[in-house]
Amino acid sequence: VLQTVALAGTRLRASHLPSLMKDSKELQEHQIVIEGICSSLKSMGCVIVEETQELVLPTLSHLMTPIHVDLHSNSDRLFEKIVRNLHPTPALGAFPREEGMLWLKAYQKYLDRGRFGAPFGLVLDTGESICLVGIRNIQWKNSQISLGAGCGIISISKWDREWLEIQGKLESVKRYFGW
């Protein structure tokens, strides 16, 4: 059994905006991520999407939907295949995936994003595999530190709200490190 989550749609905890569960823009953005994950995994087994809930963290809240897959097989390279199928999800890359990845690679010429979000994982002696995706980006070069964060842009996005979301994500990382 594969267990993962769709995690997209972010709100600052101190926001005056409506709850994430009542925000049509955030719900639409989250649904794109759910669909992207399900599309990536449907060839591997029976996909079960659970109820969306709000994950409340100290400074941010996110929409979160657990997704389970009853896998068809248990091959030696299954873990690697799952990770390759999933990465990047629409929450980290672009959607649709193929066109979005071409756009991101072309955009890299104008703004070097460095290493931005990637899966890392391990296979335990028990046979269980664990994979996480680093989405808050901290990079060091000599004595400089760079922080990176992004947001989901869809047709009904408002630039001022997206900018606040990015700032909130960066602030949450800075607070964590006491900056």
Side-chain angles (χ1 to χ4, degrees):
V1 173
L2 166 67
Q3 298 177 19
T4 188
V5 295
L7 192 67
T10 304
R11 173 77 26 87
L12 295 173
R13 292 273 319 275
S15 175
H16 65 282
L17 296 169
S19 160
L20 283 171
M21 297 296 289
K22 295 181 181 180
D23 187 315
S24 61
K25 184 269 179 188
E26 300 298 340
L27 288 166
Q28 186 178 343
E29 178 184 317
H30 187 70
Q31 189 59 41
I32 290 169
V33 174
I34 293 170
E35 289 171 15
I37 291 172
C38 290
S39 176
S40 295
L41 296 174
K42 68 183 176 186
S43 68
M44 302 182 81
C46 178
V47 179
I48 301 159
V49 178
E50 293 189 16
E51 188 175 330
T52 298
Q53 53 199 286
E54 189 169 342
L55 173 64
V56 179
L57 301 170
T59 58
L60 301 170
S61 293
H62 299 288
L63 290 172
M64 180 181 76
T65 302
I67 299 172
H68 303 274
V69 183
D70 290 328
L71 298 166
H72 293 311
S73 69
N74 189 15
S75 68
D76 291 340
R77 313 265 322 167
L78 186 60
F79 178 66
E80 182 179 334
K81 183 178 179 184
I82 291 167
V83 173
R84 286 187 186 279
N85 279 9
L86 280 173
H87 183 69
T89 71
L92 193 58
F95 186 80
R97 180 190 264 174
E98 291 77 21
E99 295 89 344
M101 293 308 295
L102 290 173
W103 183 87
L104 284 171
K105 286 178 183 175
Y107 189 74
Q108 186 73 11
K109 292 185 278 190
Y110 305 105
L111 177 65
D112 183 6
R113 298 180 333 138
R115 296 172 308 276
F116 190 83
F120 61 95
L122 60 122
V123 178
L124 303 174
D125 290 338
T126 63
E128 183 180 18
S129 304
I130 299 171
C131 184
L132 305 170
V133 178
I135 60 173
R136 297 295 177 262
N137 190 345
I138 302 174
Q139 296 180 52
W140 287 265
K141 186 175 183 180
N142 301 323
S143 63
Q144 289 185 320
I145 296 175
S146 298
L147 296 178
C151 61
I153 305 292
I154 59 174
S155 62
I156 60 174
S157 294
K158 303 285 186 222
W159 73 267
D160 54 335
R161 282 183 54 182
E162 301 302 334
W163 185 246
L164 286 174
E165 179 180 325
I166 290 171
Q167 287 178 313
K169 290 174 178 178
L170 293 172
E171 286 301 318
S172 71
V173 172
K174 288 164 54 175
R175 271 188 227 145
Y176 182 81
F177 286 103
W179 299 339

